[in-house]
Structure formats: structure tokens, C-alpha cells
Amino acid sequence: MPQEYVQACPILRDTSFTHLMMRRICNVLIIANPYDAFMLEDDGRVDEKIFDEYAKLGLRFPPRFFQVASAEEAEAELQRTSFDLVICMPGAEDNDVFCIARDIKQRFPQVPLIVLTPFSHGITQRMQNEDLSIFEYVFCWLGNTDLLLSIIKLIEDKMNLDQDVLQAGVQMILLVEDSIRHYSSILPNLYKFVLQQSLEFATEALNSQLEMLRMRGRPKIVLARNYEEAWALYNRYCTHTLGVISDCRFPREGKTDEQAGFRLLSKMREADPYLPLIMQSSETDKREYAQRCGASFIDKNSKNPADDLRQLVLRNFGFGDFIFRKPGTRHEEVRIRNLKDLQDNIFTLPQESLLYHIRHNNVSRWLGSRALFPISEFLRDITWDSLQDIDAHRQIIFDAIVRYRRMKNQGVVAVFNRHRFDRYSNFARIGDGSLGGKGRGLAFLDHIILRHPDLNDFPGASVQLPKTVVLCTDLFDEFMEQSDLYPIALSDVPDEEILAAFLSATFPQRLREDLIAYLQVVNEPIAIRSSSLLEDAHYQPFAGIYSTYMIPPVADITQRLELLMNAIKAVYASVFYQDSKAYMAATRNVIDQEKMAVLLQEVVGSAYDGRYYPHISGVGRSLNYYPIGDEAPEDGIVNLALGLGKYIVDGGLSLRVCPAYPNKVLQTSEVDIALRETQTRFYALDTTTCPTNFQVDDGFNLLKLPVNEAVKDGAMRFTCSTYDPYDMVIRDGIYEGGRKVVTFSGVLQHGVFPLPELLQKLLRYGREEMRREVEVEFAVKLLPDRTGIFYPLQIRPMVAARLQLDEDLSLIPDEKALLHSHHAIGHGILSDIFDIIYVKTENFSASHNPAVADEIEQFNRRMVAEGRPYVLVGPGRWGSSDPWLGIPVKWPHISGAKVIVEAGLSNYRVDPSQGTHFFQNLTSFGVAYYTIDDYKGDGLYRYDYLAQQPAEKETSYLRLVHFDHPIVVKTDGINKEGVVLL
């Protein structure tokens, strides 16, 4: 295929349907005597008839009609209302309406005027003496309300012609006819046909809103009443002319010319050999003229000329199904009903038939009639004369359709259609309820990618969402009620019993069929993610509270459907687990008000021997509370890990990087720090076993593997460094021997993939679009040729608080403080805390950490029930999944804490966690998070003072101290200072 076509193929100009038909007829003034007005209404409201016509044809915004019978009434209405169109109905006895019309035209020259008359003998005589130059058109009233709709649409088409046709590529049908009776008859039929066809192609839109917008892209109908007007219109819009319908006898050069239509169509045929032309005449001998200029012929005296015209327009102007017939026999070989049909069949269409349609530009014309302007315009210029290679044309058409569908899918939540869903579908919804928190965030991410195309400007890197389908909250409601699950769900039975009850319930049949259609397209592992109404809400996100399950690809679709449905039910069940209920209580939410949507999302990653995982997972935040060196807080911060992102969420060792300074990574700045503080294990989905028994623990079918397994898989080519024990240095890349270190050096320092640049842009755009600080989850798939795909997975707001305090907290003297941290997250002042719970450090051993976590959960339950916020202090990392690094609590176990402190001990030195797992909850609830290493002079922790205070409650590992007066907490996260005052 010639290179210029290969390169041109992806360049498509999108159509903004919202900018079409911007000028509309809203208010219509009808000037008629009472009898004529009554005749027009036919004993019924004209508004109602037009409204009915609009509704039947899928049109919106029907105009309002105002009727007046005298100059005084007209003046009164003109004072009250701004009119877009005036229709005059002259009576047989007098022509006062013309005087009124002339007065209106003088005062409002931009308002179009129309004459509508039944053409009785008396009226015709009177009109012959009138100057009708102020009127746009004269119509013959035949008692058909369709004519009013045609008049309105004709005027609207004329008003929007230049903008819509020349700017957006809308197509034009040119009608050339000077007989008032004939065009008054033809236009209603033509408009009804075009609008009905538009209703059909609008169903290709991705949702109901876009269906309505697509209707605006229907072909425009333009009326010309003489040769010069017709040629001027064709000359201006020839590249967008769908076809021409012309009478044979009409004025040319000011005189009636019985061959004017022949001359006009011949000149058009000379300009475009394949333009569809139709000649109409009541003189049958004009059929010969039609044949000479390559036009179809309609006899106006036939029994049903309107139907004849409809059939010819349907067959020649690109409307209806695209029928590929065998040349010669005209036998139908293939019928193409929509764009996806064309995409699916393009490589198998009969060669002779396809060649005929390419030669005649019929593919472009068919696409144009269906308002698919970007592809239509692109293909119109790739003619058979310019490229005589049928297979190249097939490939170009296919590539253009794929590019167009990807472009139209972006930024749109489509309604899931099981007959249309395929591998080019991107983001769809099943159901009419809410998308839930994660679903909204994902839709917003898609919107950001659409609004900022420069995210896809980096060579070898693309940014896109993984294929996603959302089961909306109304399906959750239906499932809960149909299976009568609320009694057990709201009870206090163990989580395992709740899960078992949900797994035994059944889904509606229609959902099963949709899920089968989904599975027939998606061959990768699927993540089934919670997306509740409250999850990731701006002020109380439930981050990490509900379950996310992953299922492997299974060859048997019945078995895979069972897996998928069980995973969805298990996510539904997680709403009602004990941890979720405790969290609800802590956030003062009512559990039965929570509703769950579910995301079905392709897992980002690559398949290896029995496992599946991405090369990079990460969480980026637009505000950095721990800026180091030249870093500024607004540069943001990112945590990167090999494998599934659950590793970061669970508080595992990840690489902390400021995307503005990817060469300065604290954890890899020294060999001993790199060996101690980089990732040693990673999560992968087990694809060898089929999970038949779903468990409350959503990670039950995940593998936690040593990093060396990824090296064996070949998954760390661009993300690994090697420790050389002889020279005691770390070298970027994979070498024989030596420990492998996860540094992401190829991506961060050597430009294999523009991850730092993409993250800087995405975090900045996220902050700008959301008008607040944001957190973004993402995953990256790297390909062997050093290209890759960046997949944003979630965006949520970090609730903004006061970014700076007026005072310098570092100047507060030690004697006034109980705790003082120089590494603090959080903002603002708290003055309603009376309690401190702290872990006793006498004879401390990390082996007791799981028992400590159990005791803290009991304390927390009591404090939440009594409405007592508290300060929580303990050694190591709170919430670590590794109990040797800290106390393995979950958020609901410490949800009543307003300040959480990591206090290092001389014999238990664990580097700060930054509250990784709880970060979203910390910022949302305004919880402060301090790190203090008092043993080395980094901060202040007056443990001895606390030990001297009487304990309200004391256990083997904890003490609760209650003060009579509130302890004031001040936190300045930007300057990293936090203090708890005595």
C-alpha cells in the first residue's frame, strides 16, 4: 500500500454534533383571518399536531405558534415575543396580511416571511398583483400538517447551511423546482423520508443523548427555483452534495427554459461523473434528456410519484442498507446495515461489487448519508484513479472505521449493546442507575484524555482506558430485592455466611446474556471492581473498603460466565461485611442507603507461565507532603511497583518517585538503602487454577512471588537493576549473578518509556479539571520494542484543606508539646480531642503486632460508639501487610483516630510508610499522620509523661489516657510540621 495512505489513515476530523443546527425556529407568528386559521388547525391545536410530528420523528424543540388576525393583534404579539418566522395566509376578500407582513419586514428585516395559501381562484388572482419579493417562499396549503414541519425545517436548513455543511461536512440534497404546487407536495415527503432514515442511523450512537445529537447531522434539503440559484448552490457545496432532484422546465436567465433541467444536470454530470441525479417532469418525452445526462427519471403524472421518488432516493443517495450486488445480474450478494457490519465484512466483500462502489464513490456517500462525516470525507478523497489497488482500499476503509470508532468511544459512556459490543468498544454501561464512585472517576479520566490529546503525543506511548463495562446500581437493587437478600445482609452473621447467601442467588436472564456477549469479546483476565455510591466520594471516600476480585481467562465460556457472576456477587456481598458496617458507623452513613455498581475491566498486564501481571503499577498524587531537595509539593509524588497494584495498596515496599525529578530517587540513592527499601515480592494473578470457591479475602487467587520470578519471566527487562556484590554497586539492567533490584531505571532514567512526563501531565490536568488535588491509579504495559501503553485506572479527589497555617510550628517549645513531628501529613487545627491510645513499648516485640491489632480494633469500636476521636501512637508502619514492619490493622480498626503516629524505637527502626494504604482516607477525613524518631532526635514523643498519667483502660499492649481538657493538634503538611500540644 502506498505510504501516503498508510500515514493518512489515522487522521480523522471529528464532528461536534452539539455545534450543528445552532440556529432554530422557536416562535412562529401566523397571520390569518379566523376562518383560515381554523382551517389550518383543522379543528385542533396546530401546536399539538407539530409536537406529535416532532415526537414521531425523534425531533426535539418543537416551535410555538402564535396566531393573529389583525395589525393590532400582530403589534401586541410583536411587543411580547421575539419571532423567528412569520407565516402569512392571505384571504380571498382582502390582502391585509401583506400590509402587516411588509411592516414586520421593515422593522425586522432578518426574520424570514412565508406565504401559505390554498390557491383558490380568487386568491391566485389577488396574488398576481402583489409584490412578493419580501417573502422567502410561497407554499400551497393542501391541509397537511407535514407541510408546516417541512417549512420550518427548510428555513432552519437554510439558516445553518454554511456552518453545518462547510465546517462540519453535513451533506446536502438539492431540490430544483419552481412549481409551488409541486415543491409543496415533494418537500413534506422528502423531509419525512430523510428524518425517518436519520432516526435509523442515529441508533448507531453510543447512548441516547448522542442519538439525539446525531439527528442534527441528517442531510440538509435545499430548494432552488431557477437555474442560476441551483448552480450557485451546487458550485458552493459540490463536495458535500448527496444528490440532486431537478425538474426539467424552470427559469434560466429570467425566462422559462424547457431544457433548463437538462442543461443543469449535464453540467453537474461533467463536474462529477458519479453524482446521483434525478430528473422529474410531467412530459414523458423528457426521459430521453434524463438518459443523456445519466439521471434517473420520474414521471410526475405516475400513480404515485412520491413513492417513486422515495425509492430512487433510497437506492441512489446512500440511504438504507448498503447492498452489494453482482454486476450484470444485480443479484444481492451482501447487505451491510451499519458501520460495524461494514467493518466486519470489508475483507470478504465481493471484489467486483466493491470495485464498482469504490469507482462510484458510493462507500463515502453511504457513510455521509449516515452522518459519519469524518470517514466519509477521508474516503471521498481516496478514489480509484488515485489508488488502483482493491486490497489497499479494503485496508484503508477498515483502518478508518477502527480509528473513527476509537475516537468516538473516547470520553463517552456508551449504552451496552450485545450486538454491537466488540474489541473496539471501550467504555459501556449496563443498566440505567449510577456508575458509582470508581465508575464516575473512570468516566472523568476518559474525559480528560479526550480533552488533552497531547497525552498521546509521545512517540511509542499511548494513553487509554482498559476496556470497561459498568453494571449500574439499579442492577444491584434488582438483584438484592429479587433474591430477598437484605435480611441476611443487614444481620450480624459472619462474613462467610453473607458471601454464601449472595453466591447462591441468581441474576436476571437478560444480564446473563449481556455478560456472555461481553465474554465473547474480552479474552484477557478480568478485574471485577467495586464502585459504590459512596466510594471515592469527595468528602468520605470508601477507598479499599470493598472487594476487588480477578478471574483468569478460561476456554469454556460457560465456566467463565459462572466465575464472572460469582465475582460480581462477591463484590455485592462485600458491602455488608463486618468491616464495611464498622466503616459505615464511623462515617455516620446508613448501610442500606449504600448501592453498588461494579466495574468489569480488563486486567492490564502480560501472560507468563501460569501468571498474569503488569510491568508497572502505581499511585500518583498531585500534592507531595514529603518534598525532598528541589522537589516542590505541587510536583506531586508517585509510588511504583512491579506486578498488580494491590501490592502498593497493602502497604508493601514500593518505589517513591517525584515525576519532576525521576533521576533523584531516595530509595536508590545508596546501595544499602536500595537493598533494604526496594520491592522484594510482587502480586500476580494465578491463571493455572480456576477459583471455584470464592472467599471473603478477595486476594485468595493471587500469587505473592519473589521478584526473581519476574526476572525469569522476562518481565523486568526495562525495570530492573543488578547488585554487584564484588564491586558493591548497583548497575542498571539485568546481569548474571547478583541480587535483582526493582528500580524502574530504564523508564525513569533512560527514557525507555515517557512515564515521568505522562504522570506530570496527567496529575496536572487532573488537578486542573477537578479543581482540587487528585490521586490517580495506573498501570503500564511495556512491549519488547520499547513502546508501551499507559492505562489510567482511577482518579479521585484528595479533599483540599487549608494548605498552610499562619504560625511556624517548628518554633513551638518542647515543654508545651506532647508530640512534635517534622514529617507530618495533614492540614489544620483540631481542638476536640481528649484521648490518646498508645502502644506500650516496654518489652516490645514485633511478633506481638497481630495481637496488638486485635486489641486496637476493640478499643476503636468503643471510641467510635461513644463518639470520642483520639490520637493513636505506635511503633512501625500502621496498616502494613507485613506484621514484622508494623501493626497490621485495617482502616475500620482505627477509623476513630484523628491523629495517627508512627513512633520509631531504638531497637525497632522501620522507615516511614507515609500512611500509604490509608492515604485517601487520611486526606478525606482530615486525619493527621505523623512520623517521629525521638530516639535519634527527630521529633518529640513524651512517652514518659504519658506513662505517668492514669489510664482509663489498659491491656497487655495498649493504654488509653483521657485528659480533662482538650489537647490541641496543629498540622502543616506542606512544611511537614505537626504538633500535639499539652
Side-chain angles (χ1 to χ4, degrees), residues 862-880:
R862 171 188 166 185
M863 301 301 278
V864 169
E866 295 176 6
R868 293 165 60 183
Y870 60 91
V871 177
L872 177 63
V873 189
R877 295 178 171 179
W878 288 105
S880 172

mmCIF file of all heavy atoms in Angstrom, residues 862-880:
data_model
loop_
_atom_site.group_PDB
_atom_site.id
_atom_site.type_symbol
_atom_site.label_atom_id
_atom_site.label_comp_id
_atom_site.label_asym_id
_atom_site.label_seq_id
_atom_site.Cartn_x
_atom_site.Cartn_y
_atom_site.Cartn_z
ATOM 1 N N ARG A 862 -15.159 0.839 70.656
ATOM 2 C CA ARG A 862 -15.734 1.544 71.815
ATOM 3 C C ARG A 862 -15.669 3.062 71.602
ATOM 4 O O ARG A 862 -16.656 3.769 71.851
ATOM 5 C CB ARG A 862 -14.940 1.165 73.078
ATOM 6 C CG ARG A 862 -15.317 1.993 74.296
ATOM 7 C CD ARG A 862 -14.393 1.723 75.463
ATOM 8 N NE ARG A 862 -14.539 2.743 76.493
ATOM 9 C CZ ARG A 862 -13.787 2.814 77.577
ATOM 10 N NH1 ARG A 862 -12.847 1.906 77.799
ATOM 11 N NH2 ARG A 862 -13.965 3.772 78.461
ATOM 12 N N MET A 863 -14.524 3.569 71.100
ATOM 13 C CA MET A 863 -14.352 5.016 70.931
ATOM 14 C C MET A 863 -15.331 5.565 69.879
ATOM 15 O O MET A 863 -15.901 6.636 70.052
ATOM 16 C CB MET A 863 -12.908 5.335 70.521
ATOM 17 C CG MET A 863 -11.847 4.858 71.523
ATOM 18 S SD MET A 863 -12.034 5.554 73.182
ATOM 19 C CE MET A 863 -11.254 7.149 72.977
ATOM 20 N N VAL A 864 -15.523 4.800 68.794
ATOM 21 C CA VAL A 864 -16.462 5.227 67.749
ATOM 22 C C VAL A 864 -17.884 5.248 68.297
ATOM 23 O O VAL A 864 -18.648 6.189 68.067
ATOM 24 C CB VAL A 864 -16.348 4.306 66.516
ATOM 25 C CG1 VAL A 864 -17.495 4.566 65.535
ATOM 26 C CG2 VAL A 864 -15.003 4.504 65.815
ATOM 27 N N ALA A 865 -18.249 4.215 69.056
ATOM 28 C CA ALA A 865 -19.596 4.130 69.623
ATOM 29 C C ALA A 865 -19.872 5.299 70.562
ATOM 30 O O ALA A 865 -21.003 5.802 70.630
ATOM 31 C CB ALA A 865 -19.765 2.804 70.366
ATOM 32 N N GLU A 866 -18.837 5.737 71.287
ATOM 33 C CA GLU A 866 -19.005 6.834 72.246
ATOM 34 C C GLU A 866 -18.732 8.199 71.622
ATOM 35 O O GLU A 866 -18.792 9.221 72.317
ATOM 36 C CB GLU A 866 -18.078 6.603 73.453
ATOM 37 C CG GLU A 866 -18.450 5.353 74.256
ATOM 38 C CD GLU A 866 -17.466 5.064 75.394
ATOM 39 O OE1 GLU A 866 -16.552 5.898 75.627
ATOM 40 O OE2 GLU A 866 -17.597 4.004 76.029
ATOM 41 N N GLY A 867 -18.387 8.233 70.323
ATOM 42 C CA GLY A 867 -18.133 9.498 69.636
ATOM 43 C C GLY A 867 -16.910 10.223 70.154
ATOM 44 O O GLY A 867 -16.921 11.458 70.260
ATOM 45 N N ARG A 868 -15.851 9.468 70.473
ATOM 46 C CA ARG A 868 -14.636 10.071 71.042
ATOM 47 C C ARG A 868 -13.457 9.931 70.072
ATOM 48 O O ARG A 868 -12.858 8.871 69.955
ATOM 49 C CB ARG A 868 -14.288 9.386 72.371
ATOM 50 C CG ARG A 868 -15.301 9.652 73.476
ATOM 51 C CD ARG A 868 -15.137 8.689 74.633
ATOM 52 N NE ARG A 868 -13.825 8.755 75.258
ATOM 53 C CZ ARG A 868 -13.419 7.962 76.256
ATOM 54 N NH1 ARG A 868 -14.244 7.023 76.729
ATOM 55 N NH2 ARG A 868 -12.222 8.075 76.774
ATOM 56 N N PRO A 869 -13.121 10.990 69.340
ATOM 57 C CA PRO A 869 -11.926 10.926 68.491
ATOM 58 C C PRO A 869 -10.677 10.849 69.371
ATOM 59 O O PRO A 869 -10.689 11.305 70.517
ATOM 60 C CB PRO A 869 -11.976 12.235 67.715
ATOM 61 C CG PRO A 869 -12.772 13.165 68.565
ATOM 62 C CD PRO A 869 -13.777 12.316 69.298
ATOM 63 N N TYR A 870 -9.597 10.282 68.825
ATOM 64 C CA TYR A 870 -8.409 10.092 69.658
ATOM 65 C C TYR A 870 -7.136 10.184 68.825
ATOM 66 O O TYR A 870 -7.163 10.175 67.600
ATOM 67 C CB TYR A 870 -8.476 8.743 70.376
ATOM 68 C CG TYR A 870 -8.560 7.540 69.453
ATOM 69 C CD1 TYR A 870 -7.413 6.876 69.014
ATOM 70 C CD2 TYR A 870 -9.805 7.052 69.027
ATOM 71 C CE1 TYR A 870 -7.494 5.785 68.171
ATOM 72 C CE2 TYR A 870 -9.892 5.956 68.182
ATOM 73 C CZ TYR A 870 -8.732 5.316 67.750
ATOM 74 O OH TYR A 870 -8.808 4.235 66.910
ATOM 75 N N VAL A 871 -6.002 10.293 69.547
ATOM 76 C CA VAL A 871 -4.674 10.229 68.942
ATOM 77 C C VAL A 871 -4.160 8.800 69.147
ATOM 78 O O VAL A 871 -4.247 8.255 70.243
ATOM 79 C CB VAL A 871 -3.697 11.236 69.601
ATOM 80 C CG1 VAL A 871 -2.304 11.100 69.007
ATOM 81 C CG2 VAL A 871 -4.213 12.666 69.445
ATOM 82 N N LEU A 872 -3.627 8.198 68.081
ATOM 83 C CA LEU A 872 -3.138 6.817 68.130
ATOM 84 C C LEU A 872 -1.630 6.816 67.884
ATOM 85 O O LEU A 872 -1.167 7.365 66.876
ATOM 86 C CB LEU A 872 -3.839 5.981 67.062
ATOM 87 C CG LEU A 872 -3.401 4.518 66.918
ATOM 88 C CD1 LEU A 872 -3.707 3.738 68.195
ATOM 89 C CD2 LEU A 872 -4.089 3.865 65.723
ATOM 90 N N VAL A 873 -0.868 6.225 68.803
ATOM 91 C CA VAL A 873 0.594 6.226 68.691
ATOM 92 C C VAL A 873 1.092 4.784 68.786
ATOM 93 O O VAL A 873 0.650 4.024 69.662
ATOM 94 C CB VAL A 873 1.253 7.071 69.804
ATOM 95 C CG1 VAL A 873 2.754 7.233 69.533
ATOM 96 C CG2 VAL A 873 0.582 8.432 69.932
ATOM 97 N N GLY A 874 2.010 4.412 67.898
ATOM 98 C CA GLY A 874 2.589 3.071 67.970
ATOM 99 C C GLY A 874 3.824 2.971 67.100
ATOM 100 O O GLY A 874 4.058 3.814 66.234
ATOM 101 N N PRO A 875 4.604 1.930 67.299
ATOM 102 C CA PRO A 875 5.844 1.765 66.538
ATOM 103 C C PRO A 875 5.604 1.133 65.168
ATOM 104 O O PRO A 875 4.666 0.366 64.979
ATOM 105 C CB PRO A 875 6.654 0.821 67.427
ATOM 106 C CG PRO A 875 5.624 0.017 68.142
ATOM 107 C CD PRO A 875 4.434 0.901 68.329
ATOM 108 N N GLY A 876 6.486 1.453 64.199
ATOM 109 C CA GLY A 876 6.430 0.828 62.881
ATOM 110 C C GLY A 876 5.322 1.382 62.006
ATOM 111 O O GLY A 876 4.743 2.427 62.280
ATOM 112 N N ARG A 877 5.054 0.648 60.937
ATOM 113 C CA ARG A 877 4.103 1.116 59.921
ATOM 114 C C ARG A 877 2.684 0.664 60.242
ATOM 115 O O ARG A 877 2.408 -0.526 60.277
ATOM 116 C CB ARG A 877 4.480 0.551 58.556
ATOM 117 C CG ARG A 877 5.809 1.038 58.043
ATOM 118 C CD ARG A 877 6.105 0.378 56.714
ATOM 119 N NE ARG A 877 7.260 0.983 56.093
ATOM 120 C CZ ARG A 877 7.757 0.593 54.934
ATOM 121 N NH1 ARG A 877 7.191 -0.402 54.293
ATOM 122 N NH2 ARG A 877 8.812 1.182 54.427
ATOM 123 N N TRP A 878 1.801 1.616 60.425
ATOM 124 C CA TRP A 878 0.396 1.275 60.613
ATOM 125 C C TRP A 878 -0.168 0.718 59.315
ATOM 126 O O TRP A 878 0.029 1.267 58.240
ATOM 127 C CB TRP A 878 -0.398 2.504 61.027
ATOM 128 C CG TRP A 878 -0.121 2.953 62.430
ATOM 129 C CD1 TRP A 878 0.623 4.024 62.823
ATOM 130 C CD2 TRP A 878 -0.580 2.313 63.630
ATOM 131 N NE1 TRP A 878 0.659 4.111 64.194
ATOM 132 C CE2 TRP A 878 -0.077 3.071 64.719
ATOM 133 C CE3 TRP A 878 -1.350 1.194 63.903
ATOM 134 C CZ2 TRP A 878 -0.325 2.738 66.045
ATOM 135 C CZ3 TRP A 878 -1.603 0.855 65.217
ATOM 136 C CH2 TRP A 878 -1.091 1.621 66.274
ATOM 137 N N GLY A 879 -0.897 -0.407 59.415
ATOM 138 C CA GLY A 879 -1.575 -0.966 58.253
ATOM 139 C C GLY A 879 -0.697 -1.785 57.333
ATOM 140 O O GLY A 879 -1.135 -2.172 56.252
ATOM 141 N N SER A 880 0.547 -2.081 57.746
ATOM 142 C CA SER A 880 1.423 -2.873 56.895
ATOM 143 C C SER A 880 0.881 -4.294 56.771
ATOM 144 O O SER A 880 0.399 -4.884 57.736
ATOM 145 C CB SER A 880 2.837 -2.908 57.479
ATOM 146 O OG SER A 880 3.641 -3.809 56.758
#
